Amino acid sequence: MAFADVLRGLAAPTVVFGHFIVLYLQAPQVVAGITMGEPIQPVAFPAVIDSLYSIFNLPGIGVAVFFLISGFVIPLSLDGASVPGYLLKRLLRIFPTYWAALAIGVAATYISAAYWSKPVTHTVVDYFANTFLIADFFGRLDIISVMWTLQIEVKFYLLAPLFHASLRKGSLSRVLLWGAGVVAGYWFAISGCESSDVAACWGRLGFISRFTWEAAFIIYMLIGSVLYAHYRKFISDRQTAFGVAFLLGCFAAAVPLSSAPALGAVYGLAFFWGLLIFLPFYFFRARVRLNPVFQFLADISYPLYVVHPLLGYVAMRLMMAAGLPYLVAFPAALALVTGVAIAIHVYAEAPSIALGKRLAGRLSRPSQKTLQPDAAAHAAQRETSPN
């Protein structure tokens, strides 16, 4: 769909620019920590820029848009498909591209560590947990800093068939129950805790505190699923408005009660802006036109998203260590990660998508009677989208 591809084409560069400019310059210790390198001197931005960025967190807005796109297109992928076929396509959609980016990122950290004469602190458990997007279950750090979003995506993929079955019947019951249930579950989990530190209250619960916070972001993704049901004419305008407002309220209530309450301060407002961006694109989708530039950016959006952090940070830092100014290192690193993203798209992403379609076709025999013409017409296009 043109509107979704345009949003992808906007979201991925938004995340990259936010990381390469603000995070790289203002949080060099964070960048050095994940790249096994030495930090640059932090750069102080003018107060007005800091204030604007606290309101318009670019990476957060980009992530929010990606989540809403996934919430919208994943149910579309289930229309007329068998659950095994759908899951196979999604696994082949996300993992080969991610593995390519992970391998490149790990190689970049080894280069950085060697240059700065530092040890690589990743363990075998880290590599195993990150390879299969289960670092949260093991309580390990994400090697690729954006990996936390992919872990949420995978869980949404697994839950989507349950929500899809309800939405196709014109019912929001399971979607609304998830939102209310997560808020109630969070409140119950920390009730009785005497500490005012929500994260500390979750800490006493041990293992489950590692991943339960992700359920709040699935609430947000379900806003996209409500809009899917509206697009397919399964629910009315009034149901759509209620569902979106209810889920947004549940998300706002859930994050501060989760085991990662600090994410509310970082992403809360950004996710509100993300929704405000997504809604007009959805409701005026008939007017959205996809030009070659946005088609290109949409095609490489997923590989660009996953490959840019480690490779880009290391490239910029080593260029600056060699004496190049940031204003040269930044566009050079941007060109590098874009070129690598193109290569991953051509040699890993596109072939794995094609393989997934072929293998899933043997498991699924979609009944065109269950698909409206517009959904059927977009079936092939959906499989080329990164979310």
Side-chain angles (χ1 to χ4, degrees):
M1 293 181 184
F3 92 91
D5 279 341
V6 170
L7 284 172
R8 288 189 191 94
L10 290 170
T14 298
V15 174
V16 174
F17 275 75
H19 285 162
F20 279 12
I21 298 174
V22 180
L23 183 64
Y24 182 81
L25 294 177
Q26 290 203 308
Q29 292 289 351
V30 174
V31 172
I34 64 176
T35 60
M36 314 294 168
E38 283 289 334
I40 63 170
Q41 288 296 319
V43 176
F45 288 3
V48 64
I49 300 297
D50 284 335
S51 297
L52 284 173
Y53 192 77
S54 67
I55 298 173
F56 302 103
N57 182 305
L58 295 181
I61 294 171
V63 168
V65 171
F66 274 132
F67 275 166
L68 291 170
I69 294 171
S70 288
F72 183 85
V73 303
I74 294 305
L76 280 172
S77 298
L78 279 158
D79 283 342
S82 70
V83 173
Y86 150 79
L87 290 174
L88 179 60
K89 284 190 291 185
R90 296 321 301 176
L91 292 177
L92 285 171
R93 180 68 189 85
I94 197 170
F95 277 104
T97 298
Y98 166 70
W99 286 334
L102 179 62
I104 293 169
V106 169
T109 60
Y110 271 89
I111 292 171
S112 177
Y115 182 87
W116 298 107
S117 300
K118 291 193 172 189
V120 176
T121 57
H122 301 146
T123 67
V124 173
V125 175
D126 290 322
Y127 290 126
F128 174 82
N130 277 262
T131 296
F132 296 102
L133 292 174
I134 51 175
D136 48 354
F137 289 106
F138 284 84
R140 313 303 295 184
L141 293 177
D142 301 335
I143 293 176
I144 297 178
S145 57
V146 298
M147 197 189 84
W148 67 274
T149 63
L150 301 185
Q151 293 177 120
I152 296 172
E153 289 269 354
V154 170
K155 294 176 180 64
F156 183 78
Y157 294 167
L158 297 175
L159 291 168
L162 298 176
F163 299 124
H164 178 258
S166 175
L167 292 172
R168 283 190 60 83
K169 297 176 183 177
S171 172
L172 295 178
S173 57
R174 293 180 185 177
V175 167
L176 301 182
L177 183 61
W178 179 270
V182 169
V183 175
Y186 285 175
W187 180 85
F188 180 78
I190 63 174
S191 62
C193 178
E194 297 179 357
S195 173
S196 59
D197 186 340
V198 174
C201 291
W202 275 99
R204 65 194 174 104
L205 298 178
F207 174 73
I208 66 169
S209 65
R210 297 176 183 175
F211 56 87
T212 47
W213 61 272
E214 297 167 336
F217 290 88
I218 292 177
I219 296 175
Y220 187 81
M221 296 177 76
L222 286 171
I223 294 175
S225 299
V226 170
L227 294 172
Y228 148 81
H230 178 264
Y231 168 74
R232 295 284 275 114
K233 298 180 173 58
F234 295 141
I235 60 175
S236 67
D237 293 347
R238 182 174 297 181
Q239 285 177 293
T240 302
F242 175 77
V244 169
F246 183 85
L247 290 172
L248 183 63
C250 287
F251 172 73
V255 174
L257 297 175
S258 73
S259 55
L263 291 175
V266 177
Y267 292 111
L269 193 54
F271 275 52
F272 174 73
W273 296 128
L275 181 59
L276 285 188
I277 293 169
F278 188 89
L279 286 175
F281 272 85
Y282 168 71
F283 284 111
F284 296 99
R285 60 190 178 277
R287 300 182 182 181
V288 177
R289 297 293 179 265
L290 184 63
N291 62 39
V293 173
F294 281 109
Q295 182 64 72
F296 165 74
L297 291 173
D299 287 343
I300 68 166
S301 60
Y302 177 41
L304 179 64
Y305 179 74
V306 290
V307 82
H308 84 272
L310 292 178
L311 181 61
Y313 294 151
V314 170
M316 281 194 290
R317 186 64 186 97
L318 294 184
M319 282 187 280
M320 292 181 69
L324 293 176
Y326 169 76
L327 291 179
V328 174
F330 166 62
L334 185 61
L336 174 64
V337 297
T338 301
V340 173
I342 293 171
I344 294 175
H345 171 69
V346 172
Y347 295 109
E349 184 179 31
S352 64
I353 291 172
L355 176 62
K357 291 173 67 175
R358 288 197 302 270
L359 295 178
R362 302 173 185 176
L363 299 174
S364 304
R365 291 292 181 268
S367 171
Q368 294 303 315
K369 293 181 180 180
T370 66
L371 290 171
Q372 293 181 2
D374 55 354
H378 291 295
Q381 188 272 346
R382 289 199 303 270
E383 296 308 319
T384 66
S385 60
N387 296 90

